[in-house]
Amino acid sequence: MKLVMDVWRQAAPGEAGHYETHEVDDATPEMSLLELLDRLNFALVENDREPVAFESDCREGICGACGITVDGIPHGPQQNTPSCHQRLASFHDGQRIRLEPLRSAAYPVIRDLVVDRSALDRIIVAGGHVAVPGGSAPDADALLVSHERAEQALDMAACIGCGACVAACPNGAAHLFVGSKLAHLSLLPTGRQERGKRARAMLNEMEQDFGPCSLYGECAKVCPANIPLTAIAAVNKEGLRSFFRHKDD
Amino acid sequence: MTSSRVGRGRHAHGALVEGGTTDRDALGMGIVRSARLKPPPRIPSWVLKVVMAVTGVVFALFVLVHMIGNLKVFTGAEHFNEYAHWLRTVLQPFLPYEGLLWILRIALMVALVAHVWSAALIWRRGRASRGRHRRPGMWVKNFTARTMVVTGIVLLGFVVFHVLDLTTGTAGVAVDTFQPATPSTAHAYENLVSSLQRPWVALAYMVSMLALFLHLAHGLWTVVSDVGFTGVRLRTVAWWVAGVVALAVMLGNILIPIAVLMGVVA
């Protein structure tokens, strides 16, 4: 199958970018979006031209490195699927698609389709971790965690940090990302000891790079880890809790 | 994230890092900007959302009670005017004449200022955080979310019009025959009917009620997230309550201009 691509090209941060049109004639429906870019890059290199820069690592949907915007939708047309798993079968033969980086003021473009998502890392550094000494492993039933609670925590822990939620949001909000982490860590006994402190630190960091949530629901639709929209309520829940409680835990 | 690798494009000409320095290592690590976009705001956005949720619920309760009161128009002129008079004299002599109304007016005014002010800040912060490239092609389901600013402005205009029309009876907006309420009697029924007999006014009221439905449906649903309700069952119930309350307020109110235009209420 043939695909026509308008690809965002930008040589360096802060420079003006532009769309460049390319065609790939020998694409197949089972190829992934990233394999399409690989194919394009082989052709570009063969012709002595600059390849398109894009990020990828595992290509199994577990690392969170990949992420490009396809026709305005982060990751691509298939819902809850990372770019590396988006198949060209979503497009018809001869279709024209627009490929651009993940868009948000918090994500400056590094080059072409690669953006700087370190604003998300700064939130994790601020509080997305457990910093209390856990001691040695307790007896199996000394610290009871119900199965249901463990499952909930795992669901929220599934976030791979790709940052597509922010790019999907018309407000550039990171509530799905922050909420999943807050919920995950507040559900478990060790993480709960810093619950209030963590909420204050992460929300304060979030406010400096990301926008407010207006419940558009676009984030949960693109999330490759299927984090539910409920996670965004955890942001205000933990915020209110730490505000009124005013304690570290 | 820090293990990110720049595709096939790790080129020799180090790019300009925002802030004016060239740092190839920074590019290799996927970081070109370590400075935050903005300092921490004095009032965080999540607090503004809580303010909007609380004030929004105040408005929702008000319009629900207001709608139920409006339906008394179908019980006849005498009963409706009696109700209007009662609103002004209720709790007398504990409260002065129109005491309860003024308490409500002041509370609603404070809520309105807080609501609109928070909304303006949130709108501005949202646009700034999104940056130059707007999000295109959103789904139909968040139509109400996308139109909150528009429906909000329509409602603000409606509130001003409505007060000038049926409370103050300001010339130019209200009908010429407008009769203000006195400590002994009220003419709410006559004022209401003659105002709504003007087709453009009836239409304006109906359009405003549609805007109110859209605004309330999304606003009330957003409240559950803003106050931090994470329970699945609670959220499902809240979604339905938001829709039903919004629909009830719209239908209850829209019945009145229709009834007046059809001559059922005269």
Side-chain angles (χ1 to χ4, degrees):
Chain A
M1 69 191 278
K2 180 179 139 179
L3 282 171
V4 184
M5 290 168 280
D6 294 319
V7 188
W8 182 263
R9 302 305 301 262
Q10 183 173 334
E15 282 189 16
H18 64 279
Y19 287 102
E20 205 173 79
T21 307
H22 292 287
E23 282 179 21
V24 170
D25 296 323
D26 51 358
T28 54
E30 66 274 15
M31 274 168 78
S32 75
L33 204 52
L34 302 189
E35 283 162 346
L36 176 72
L37 284 168
D38 288 336
R39 192 72 206 87
L40 170 67
N41 279 344
F42 280 128
L44 287 174
V45 170
E46 269 171 22
N47 292 314
D48 253 3
R49 297 177 64 182
E50 285 284 317
V52 177
F54 66 93
E55 266 189 281
S56 79
D57 196 1
C58 74
R59 301 210 178 188
E60 298 184 327
I62 55 170
C63 76
C66 70
I68 59 173
T69 304
V70 184
D71 290 334
I73 303 170
H75 279 316
Q78 214 178 326
Q79 282 188 19
N80 302 109
T81 308
S83 290
C84 59
H85 276 335
Q86 296 273 345
R87 302 291 151 186
L88 301 189
S90 304
F91 310 112
H92 60 79
D93 190 25
Q95 190 171 335
R96 191 184 186 104
I97 56 175
R98 202 181 66 184
L99 306 179
E100 56 185 318
L102 296 179
R103 299 293 196 189
S104 164
Y107 296 164
V109 173
I110 298 175
R111 186 180 171 84
D112 297 340
L113 304 178
V114 183
V115 294
D116 170 3
R117 285 170 286 182
S118 58
L120 297 175
D121 296 343
R122 287 197 289 273
I123 294 178
I124 295 299
V125 169
H129 47 74
V130 177
V132 289
S136 54
D139 282 340
D141 52 2
L143 211 55
L144 295 176
V145 179
S146 71
H147 177 73
E148 196 183 3
R149 183 169 276 255
E151 287 288 348
Q152 281 173 349
L154 276 172
D155 283 348
M156 290 299 179
C159 172
I160 55 175
C162 67
C165 46
V166 176
C169 179
N171 286 350
H175 281 55
L176 201 71
F177 173 79
V178 177
S180 68
K181 193 47 66 186
L182 285 173
H184 158 214
L185 293 174
S186 67
L187 280 164
L188 298 173
T190 320
R192 208 154 50 211
Q193 292 177 45
E194 298 167 295
R195 194 172 168 184
K197 198 168 80 173
R198 171 181 306 113
R200 279 191 292 277
M202 287 180 79
L203 293 191
N204 181 54
E205 189 63 49
M206 179 182 85
E207 291 281 345
Q208 299 179 59
D209 273 310
F210 298 99
C213 169
S214 297
L215 210 62
Y216 289 86
E218 291 285 340
C219 51
K221 216 169 46 144
V222 299
C223 177
N226 275 304
I227 303 290
L229 200 55
T230 316
I232 61 159
V235 171
N236 277 27
K237 179 184 185 174
E238 298 300 317
L240 282 167
R241 185 184 176 279
S242 69
F243 178 79
F244 286 115
R245 221 173 115 80
H246 217 76
K247 292 196 174 97
D248 277 357
D249 67 346
Chain B
M1 193 91 54
T2 46
S3 68
S4 56
R5 152 173 89 84
V6 180
R8 303 169 123 273
R10 196 182 283 178
H11 296 279
H13 64 81
L16 189 72
V17 173
E18 276 177 41
T21 53
T22 302
D23 188 342
R24 286 180 203 174
D25 288 339
L27 284 186
M29 296 294 284
I31 302 174
V32 292
R33 195 196 67 213
S34 325
R36 278 65 166 170
L37 277 180
K38 55 201 171 191
R42 209 159 44 88
I43 304 176
S45 300
W46 69 267
V47 174
L48 292 176
K49 288 292 294 183
V50 175
V51 170
M52 291 200 73
V54 172
T55 52
V57 166
V58 169
F59 291 133
L61 289 173
F62 171 73
V63 292
L64 186 64
V65 172
H66 193 345
M67 182 274 289
I68 293 168
N70 289 346
L71 290 179
K72 290 185 191 295
V73 81
F74 293 106
T75 61
E78 198 185 331
H79 192 195
F80 190 69
N81 284 341
E82 241 171 55
Y83 170 63
H85 183 65
W86 174 79
L87 280 178
R88 286 168 172 77
T89 53
V90 65
L91 291 180
Q92 266 184 343
F94 177 67
L95 288 176
Y97 175 69
E98 289 197 334
L100 179 71
L101 282 191
W102 276 106
I103 290 170
L104 282 176
R105 283 166 187 165
I106 290 166
L108 288 171
M109 201 61 205
V110 170
L112 185 69
V113 169
H115 197 79
V116 172
W117 176 73
S118 303
L121 279 182
I122 285 169
W123 181 80
R124 206 177 62 189
R125 287 179 189 177
R127 283 180 75 86
S129 304
R130 174 68 197 180
R132 282 195 307 122
H133 301 271
R134 301 270 152 247
R135 171 69 214 275
M138 282 185 283
W139 58 352
V140 184
K141 260 175 87 175
N142 58 25
F143 175 77
T144 49
R146 278 180 280 142
T147 49
M148 281 307 262
V149 173
V150 178
T151 50
I153 290 170
V154 168
L155 289 174
L156 195 60
F158 168 73
V159 167
V160 173
F161 176 83
H162 184 50
V163 168
L164 293 178
D165 179 27
L166 292 175
T167 307
T168 61
T170 306
V173 176
V175 288
D176 299 334
T177 54
F178 182 86
Q179 298 164 275
T182 66
S184 55
T185 174
H187 309 280
Y189 188 88
E190 292 76 13
N191 293 337
L192 171 79
V193 171
S194 44
S195 178
L196 288 178
Q197 275 168 347
R198 300 172 293 178
W200 68 272
V201 173
L203 185 70
Y205 271 87
M206 288 192 274
V207 170
S208 304
M209 285 309 111
L210 184 65
L212 182 58
F213 166 72
L214 295 172
H215 203 82
L216 265 187
H218 181 68
L220 283 177
W221 161 232
T222 307
V223 166
V224 291
S225 288
D226 291 343
V227 297
F229 291 156
T230 52
V232 175
R233 203 165 5 129
L234 182 62
R235 290 175 68 88
T236 311
V237 170
W239 191 84
W240 281 100
V241 168
V244 168
V245 167
L247 200 63
V249 169
M250 176 182 75
L251 292 179
N253 280 333
I254 242 172
L255 270 180
I256 298 165
I258 291 175
V260 171
L261 285 182
M262 285 171 64
V264 179
V265 170

